[in-house]
Amino acid sequence: MYSCPSFTVTTVLTDSSAVVTVIGEIDVDAVPELQFALDRCLDQRPGALRLDLSAVRFCDCAGLNALLRARLRARGVGTTLVLYGVPPVVARLLALTETEGLFGRRIAA
């Protein structure tokens, strides 16, 4: 687990899946830690990776880039990436950048 005043990421791995929970602000300062957590999960090649964004208060373009990179990497290792608890701030960013369709299944907050 990594934590700073405006960002926390936790990871739970099981035999067949992973859950990464993000709390706070996904910005340029937080992206390296988020990317590290996502890469570590994807190194295990889980069947599914659930990215819980329900407690995200802000996401900038650097955060969007991290989500897009995770999507590409997940596809490359045969993992299904599901965005869960997508808050309005992230949903709006995905809509404005016309990237919401790239994530397929999304479960709203």
Side-chain angles (χ1 to χ4, degrees):
M1 178 171 95
Y2 168 81
S3 176
C4 72
S6 63
F7 181 78
T8 302
V9 60
T10 58
T11 304
V12 176
L13 290 166
T14 66
D15 290 339
S16 62
S17 67
V19 177
V20 174
T21 302
V22 181
I23 300 171
E25 301 175 2
I26 307 174
D27 60 15
V28 69
D29 294 328
V31 163
E33 296 305 324
L34 175 59
Q35 199 67 59
F36 177 79
L38 293 169
D39 285 342
R40 196 174 93 209
C41 285
L42 291 168
D43 286 345
Q44 303 301 312
R45 297 179 183 249
L49 170 56
R50 180 173 135 175
L51 186 53
D52 183 353
L53 303 175
S54 59
V56 170
R57 297 184 307 268
F58 174 79
C59 184
D60 67 8
C61 293
L64 174 61
N65 188 44
L67 297 177
L68 293 169
R69 287 186 62 210
R71 176 191 169 270
L72 286 175
R73 177 120 194 273
R75 288 177 56 124
V77 299
T79 296
T80 301
L81 175 66
V82 177
L83 301 184
Y84 174 81
V86 178
V89 67
V90 175
R92 185 169 190 270
L93 179 61
L94 295 174
L96 287 172
T97 58
E98 298 181 359
T99 56
E100 70 263 91
L102 296 177
F103 290 94
R105 229 174 103 207
R106 283 188 307 136
I107 303 168

